[in-house]
């Protein structure tokens, strides 16, 4: 098995051998949602940040007791997993006001509807601003500092500035490594598929960052040695919210649409920007986590998001854009419509695919993607 | 000329001309001001439907809450706009509010274009996301007031929120060409304090048992269109005087009050208040309150510009839906339970608007607590504005069955 394959496998399960070893050594794991929770703060506390997924969930029956039929299925499945005790390996959980669905799901944890390995369990809900300006970055810094203090108080430890600086350096290294892989995808014959990349990004959120960085250098060497993929009908930019199943991308790529770049939540939105290593750590984290090149549609900087998507499509020489949006997501409901409108104006073919958390309606999806690829002339 | 455009609203205006109902009069006066503003080529400011228009009143600029605009003459007139939004790619599961505003903008002749847009980040994703689309489509500058999630007892969070208000005033000055006069602001806020005083007095009367009237006392009309103007204060005073007169005469909502309902959410707008009237008439079930009645306010200290702005910012947090949608489920649950107590309600009914993710996401927790406390609670699926989703008959059937069980429980002394 190659190192790439080994790392990619980590996306198949909630827990993996790296995490098991971490726990065995007495390490703590803090789960979090989304892209706005500063991983460095958790890491500087000596804990493993773990981006929450609902991998392995087959139904949301239990989660539906507190979610509604109009809650997005990502949240319903995560809540279901939580209520079934599948996240018992966590030592704490951090969320934020990402959207109404996430916020209401977090209430289940607060109200004791989720079994936890100890009590009182560490829960934190970050108050992330929706705007990006000097004032909101200052407010974001307050959130980062409060988050840091809450970890210190709950777990009885100290997070020093030096520890934060070191964590920032380490995570920046991870980001640079991932970006270097993405750079290779600009080639006419990209050496890696979109499905593989998604699996690797998921792996980066599910294991100790130092070990990931070490292994990922080997992945880059392996990938560098590949001939690259040339039998594709179109180069695609895949945009959208949380997507944790590489099989989804594989389905598109089997039809000839090679995903050469993404603007996914578990993709460049997660890691693209670096933290300034020369500034005061909490200020630097606040700036980087809030003021991103491409934000989540929860944010109100829609013009910048649209421009970034447009520039990205050009930079990676894409032939078309596919936007996958989770059903019931108002944020993505609006963003996807605006992306399509912009793409149309720029003469870029664009397809919107609505989906649920679990892969379903695959036949219909294949038909639509196939028809879309046929409209693209390379 | 506006007489050639916005036909639905013009029809609505004509329909409202002879109404003596203070709320309808307020709506009519607002429409008149909007038409005049358009004819005079003056600025129109969109204020999202949970955002108070007091800042606009103080600057003497015309607010237009698109969602309220779309209710005139009746919610059914919104249907082409909802369809237009869907054709554009907006999912049908989004709240009517967002779909209407986007659709009306797309159709071009349904709503006056904005000079600028004001929208808070509460109550929900829908409003925040939809107005970004509207801003993009119209090219109008938009100011977003960024509301912290946890703000109760957090002075730093309040400072951040107050700064949003200060930014708003600068934004409105810049884009409307009006200069803020603090004396005018003080006058507006003092007028709004008087409005709130009458409103609180009315709320107190609406807690009486039996209920003096089944007509809604609280309303969004003045909050969105004219609060801070003497006409708004007069409108609520007229409602209060009518209510007092009813109480003095011993009049009640129904001859025999069988069930008192707390409806801590929006009414079903596509049937206006017909559902409430039907409940009272056919079932003896009176609606004690809606989300428009649910909150209390402190008078704003008008001694300094800082105290005024801080007071306005604080007050906005407790407006209908702003309060319940901006934070955790704690708020809607506490407010609903308090309403049950204050209004001596027998049960809770919530229309689970299909597009309302924050409300529907809280319902499971509310349901659990109500079970523990023995409070009958029901949420039925509906769309707030689109009658094509769930019909009148279906809604009445659900409510009818629920009220029957409540009556049975009361007979058994449960």
């Amino acid at each position: 098995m190659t190192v790439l394959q080994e790392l990619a496998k980590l996306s198949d399960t909630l827990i993996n051998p790296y995490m098991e070893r971490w726990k065995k050594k007495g390490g703590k794991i803090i789960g979090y949602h989304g892209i706005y929770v500063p991983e460095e703060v958790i890491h500087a506390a000596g804990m493993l940040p773990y981006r929450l997924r609902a991998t392995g969930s087959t139904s949301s029956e239990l989660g539906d007791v507190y979610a509604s039929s109009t809650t997005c299925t990502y949240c319903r499945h995560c809540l279901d997993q939580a209520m079934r005790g599948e996240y018992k390996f966590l030592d704490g959980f951090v969320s934020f006001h990402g959207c109404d669905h996430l916020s209401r799901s977090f209430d289940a944890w607060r109200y004791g509807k989720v079994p936890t390995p100890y009590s009182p369990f560490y829960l934190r809900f970050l108050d992330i601003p929706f705007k990006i300006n000097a004032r909101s970055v200052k407010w974001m810094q307050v959130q980062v500092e409060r988050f840091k203090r809450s970890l210190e108080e709950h777990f009885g430890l100290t997070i020093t500035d030096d520890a934060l600086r070191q964590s920032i350096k380490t995570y920046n290294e991870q980001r640079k490594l991932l970006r270097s892989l993405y750079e290779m995808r600009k080639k006419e014959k990209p050496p890696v598929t979109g499905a593989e990349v998604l699996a690797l990004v998921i792996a980066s959120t599910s294991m100790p960052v130092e070990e990931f960085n070490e292994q990922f250098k080997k992945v880059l060497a392996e990938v560098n040695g590949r001939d690259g993929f040339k039998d594709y009908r179109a180069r695609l930019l895949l945009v959208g919210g949380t997507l944790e199943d590489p099989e989804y991308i594989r389905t598109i790529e089997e039809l000839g649409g090679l995903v050469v770049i993404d603007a996914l939540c578990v993709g460049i939105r997660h890691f693209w920007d670096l933290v300034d290593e020369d500034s005061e750590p909490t200020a630097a984290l606040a700036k980087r986590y809030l003021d991103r090149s491409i934000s989540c549609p929860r944010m109100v900087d829609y013009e910048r998001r649209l421009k970034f998507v447009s520039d990205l499509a050009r930079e990676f020489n894409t032939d078309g854009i596919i936007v996958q949006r989770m059903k019931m997501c108002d944020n993505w409901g609006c963003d996807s419509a605006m992306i399509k409108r912009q793409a149309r104006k720029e003469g870029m073919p664009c397809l919107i695919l609505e989906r649920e958390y679990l892969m379903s309606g695959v036949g219909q999806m294949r038909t639509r993607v196939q028809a879309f690829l046929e409209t693209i002339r390379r | 000329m506006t007489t050639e455009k916005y036909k639905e609203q013009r029809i609505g205006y004509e329909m409202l001309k002879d109404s003596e109902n203070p709320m309808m009069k307020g709506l009519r006066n607002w429409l008149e001001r909007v038409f005049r503003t358009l004819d005079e080529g003056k600025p129109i400011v969109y204020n999202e439907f949970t955002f108070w228009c007091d800042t606009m009143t103080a600057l003497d600029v015309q607010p237009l809450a698109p969602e309220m605009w779309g209710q005139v003459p009746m919610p059914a007139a919104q249907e082409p706009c909802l369809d237009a939004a869907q054709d554009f790619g907006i999912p049908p599961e989004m709240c009517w509010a967002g779909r209407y505003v986007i659709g009306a903008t797309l159709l071009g002749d349904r709503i006056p274009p904005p000079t600028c847009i004001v929208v808070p980040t509460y109550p929900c994703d829908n409003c925040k996301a939809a107005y970004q689309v509207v801003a993009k489509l119209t090219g109008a500058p938009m100011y977003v007031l960024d509301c912290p999630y946890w703000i109760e007892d957090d002075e730093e969070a309040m400072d951040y929120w107050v700064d949003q208000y200060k930014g708003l005033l600068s934004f409105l000055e810049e884009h409307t060409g009006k200069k803020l006069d603090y004396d005018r602001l003080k006058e507006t806020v003092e007028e709004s304090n008087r409005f709130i005083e009458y409103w609180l007095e009315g709320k107190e009367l609406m807690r009486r048992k039996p209920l003096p009237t089944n007509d809604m006392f609280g309303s969004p009309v003045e909050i969105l269109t004219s609060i801070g103007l003497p006409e708004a204060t007069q409108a609520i005073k007229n409602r209060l005087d009518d209510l007092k007169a009813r109480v003095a005469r011993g009049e009640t909502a129904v001859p025999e009050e069988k069930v008192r309902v707390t409806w801590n959410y929006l009414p079903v707008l596509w049937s206006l208040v017909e559902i409430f009237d039907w409940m009272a008439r056919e079932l003896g079930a009176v609606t004690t309150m809606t989300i428009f009645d649910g909150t209390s306010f402190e008078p704003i200290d008008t001694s300094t510009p800082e105290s005024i702005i801080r007071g306005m910012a604080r007050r906005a947090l407790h407006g209908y839906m702003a309060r319940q949608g901006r934070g955790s489920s704690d708020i809607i649950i506490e407010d609903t339970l308090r309403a049950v107590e204050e209004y001596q309600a027998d049960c809770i009914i919530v229309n689970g608007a299909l597009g309302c993710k924050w409300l529907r996401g809280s319902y499971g927790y509310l349901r659990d607590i109500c079970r523990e406390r023995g409070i009958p609670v029901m949420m039925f699926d509906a769309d707030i504005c689109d009658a094509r989703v769930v019909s009148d008959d279906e809604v009445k059937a659900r409510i009818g069955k629920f009220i029957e069980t409540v009556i049975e429980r009361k007979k058994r002394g449960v």
Side-chain angles (χ1 to χ4, degrees), chain A residues 65-66 68-70 97 99-101 103-105 107-108 110-111 113 125 127 129-131 135-136 139 142 146 298-303 305-306 325 327-328 330-331 333-334 337-338 341 354, chain B residues 88-91 93-94 121 124-126 128-130 132-133 135-137 143-144 146 148-150 154 156-157 159-160 163-164 324 327-330 354 357-358 360-362 364-365 367-368:
Chain A
V65 171
Y66 294 108
S68 84
S69 56
T70 52
H97 189 181
C99 59
D100 297 331
H101 309 268
S103 309
R104 291 299 183 250
S105 304
D107 285 335
R110 291 175 56 239
Y111 296 153
K113 312 295 184 190
F125 192 85
D127 205 341
F130 290 96
K131 282 161 72 164
R135 184 64 179 96
S136 67
W139 179 234
V142 171
R146 287 180 179 182
R298 77 177 285 275
M299 303 293 289
V300 296
D301 62 330
Y302 62 95
E303 288 282 18
R305 269 199 307 278
L306 288 173
R325 69 170 186 220
K327 206 167 152 79
M328 303 301 173
D330 292 345
N331 290 328
C334 286
M338 287 209 282
R341 176 178 180 262
E354 200 168 64
Chain B
F88 180 68
I90 303 299
E93 305 89 29
M94 262 190 80
T121 53
C124 59
D125 301 336
N126 167 82
K128 189 165 46 68
Q132 289 185 73
V133 179
K136 182 70 179 164
L137 291 173
Y143 186 83
V144 178
D146 193 353
Y149 193 82
W150 306 114
D154 185 341
E156 274 187 286
D159 288 343
Y160 181 68
D163 282 349
Q164 306 300 302
Q324 295 85 0
S328 75
S329 299
D330 296 356
L354 289 163
K357 316 306 194 298
W358 66 261
R360 294 171 66 90
S362 300
Y365 313 122
R367 180 202 57 219
D368 274 5

Side-chain angles (χ1 to χ4, degrees), chain B residues 42-45 56 59-62 115-116 118 141 168-180:
Chain B
K42 290 183 175 167
I44 290 274
V45 179
M56 290 144 220
L59 277 161
D60 195 27
V61 292
Q62 184 57 50
T115 307
C116 57
V118 175
L168 169 64
L169 290 168
S170 303
F171 171 84
L172 287 173
E173 283 184 307
E174 184 188 342
H175 293 287
T176 64
K178 297 283 187 138
K179 191 86 187 83
L180 183 67

Side-chain angles (χ1 to χ4, degrees), chain A residues 34 62 84 86 88 156 171 188 191 201 205 207 212 222 233 317 328 331 335 338-339:
Chain A
L62 208 51
R84 286 182 199 283
E86 296 292 338
K88 275 245 175 86
Y171 272 90
E188 186 61 29
V201 177
T205 67
M207 61 187 283
F212 176 83
E222 281 173 4
R233 294 167 70 180
N317 193 25
M328 303 301 173
N331 290 328
D335 241 43
M338 287 209 282
I339 290 170

Side-chain angles (χ1 to χ4, degrees), chain B residues 220-321:
Chain B
V221 173
E222 293 92 11
I223 303 286
L224 295 179
T225 68
S226 55
I227 190 163
L229 291 177
E231 73 168 62
T233 314
Q234 191 60 52
I236 192 114
K237 184 172 187 306
N238 290 345
R239 288 209 292 285
L240 175 62
D241 289 344
D242 286 346
L243 191 53
K244 281 178 172 172
R246 284 185 70 87
V247 170
R249 291 191 299 265
E251 286 176 21
T252 58
V254 291
E256 189 197 348
E257 193 175 271
K258 293 183 183 166
V259 173
R260 292 170 66 88
V261 176
T262 294
W263 189 296
N264 195 21
Y265 189 58
L266 297 172
V268 178
L269 294 177
W270 45 258
S271 88
L272 290 172
V273 294
E274 206 276 318
I275 296 271
F276 294 159
D277 287 346
W278 171 82
M279 284 164 61
R281 197 173 59 243
E282 301 294 328
L283 308 172
V286 297
T287 308
T288 59
M289 55 84 75
T290 70
I291 204 166
F292 301 126
D293 302 294
T295 327
S296 196
F297 302 96
E298 297 295 322
I300 293 176
D301 172 5
T302 57
S303 51
T304 67
E306 179 68 25
S307 68
I308 290 172
I309 295 172
R310 202 161 189 95
M312 289 170 85
R314 202 179 280 272
R315 183 170 70 185
L317 292 172
H318 298 287
Y320 67 88
M321 292 185 77

